[in-house]
């Protein structure tokens, strides 16, 4: 049941983003920023964590989850280090995910030899 719930929630988020892309003139980069900021704001308001507990990976894997991870890191670092936590908390919290994306992206590029479009 957890897999089904994660699939449906993640699919609903992706469908809403696709509708946003199709019905507005927002570029994909702006939509990605909107998702990350929305995740951080929902985390700040205390809404995202219960939603992520219920939805599982369907809520934590998309960009909304990344924004929430940044917020949690900043919030924790601010309680420990004060204002300096604003600048280092997001990096600390998301370092493993970003490093994994870079490493596996690089390995994928080496393995599959991508080419530029012509």
């Amino acid at each position: 049941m957890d897999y089904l719930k994660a699939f449906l929630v993640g699919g609903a988020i992706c469908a809403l983003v696709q509708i946003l892309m199709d019905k507005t003139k927002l570029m994909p980069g702006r939509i990605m920023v909107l998702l990350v900021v929305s995740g951080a704001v929902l985390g700040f308001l205390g809404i995202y964590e219960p939603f992520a507990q219920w939805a599982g990976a369907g809520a934590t894997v998309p960009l909304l989850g990344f924004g929430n991870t940044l917020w949690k890191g900043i919030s924790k670092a601010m309680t420990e280090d004060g204002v300096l936590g604003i600048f280092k908390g997001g990096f600390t919290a998301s370092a493993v995910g970003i490093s994994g994306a870079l490493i596996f992206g690089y390995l994928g590029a080496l393995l599959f030899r991508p080419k530029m479009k012509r």
Side-chain angles (χ1 to χ4, degrees):
M1 192 63 179
D2 289 340
Y3 293 125
L4 180 63
K5 196 181 333 178
F7 175 77
L8 292 175
V9 170
I13 291 171
C14 291
L16 291 172
V17 170
Q18 187 64 49
I19 291 169
L20 190 63
M21 289 176 70
D22 291 343
K23 299 295 181 185
T24 67
K25 293 183 180 191
L26 291 173
M27 299 299 290
R30 291 183 188 223
I31 293 173
M32 288 175 24
V33 169
L34 179 68
L35 288 169
V36 172
V37 170
S38 297
V41 169
L42 290 172
F44 170 75
L45 295 174
I47 297 170
Y48 199 82
E49 197 60 37
F51 173 64
Q53 294 273 329
W54 177 79
T60 57
V61 172
L63 286 171
L64 287 168
F66 180 67
N68 185 51
T69 300
L70 290 175
W71 163 250
K72 287 193 299 189
I74 290 169
S75 175
K76 180 181 175 190
M78 283 181 62
T79 58
E80 295 171 357
D81 302 322
V83 177
L84 188 61
I86 294 172
F87 301 105
K88 76 175 205 173
F91 293 115
T92 305
S94 61
V96 172
I98 293 171
S99 297
L102 289 171
I103 290 167
F104 289 114
Y106 181 72
L107 291 175
L110 286 176
L111 185 63
F112 295 107
R113 304 263 190 227
K115 296 177 180 49
M116 296 295 291
K117 288 184 176 181
R118 294 180 187 189

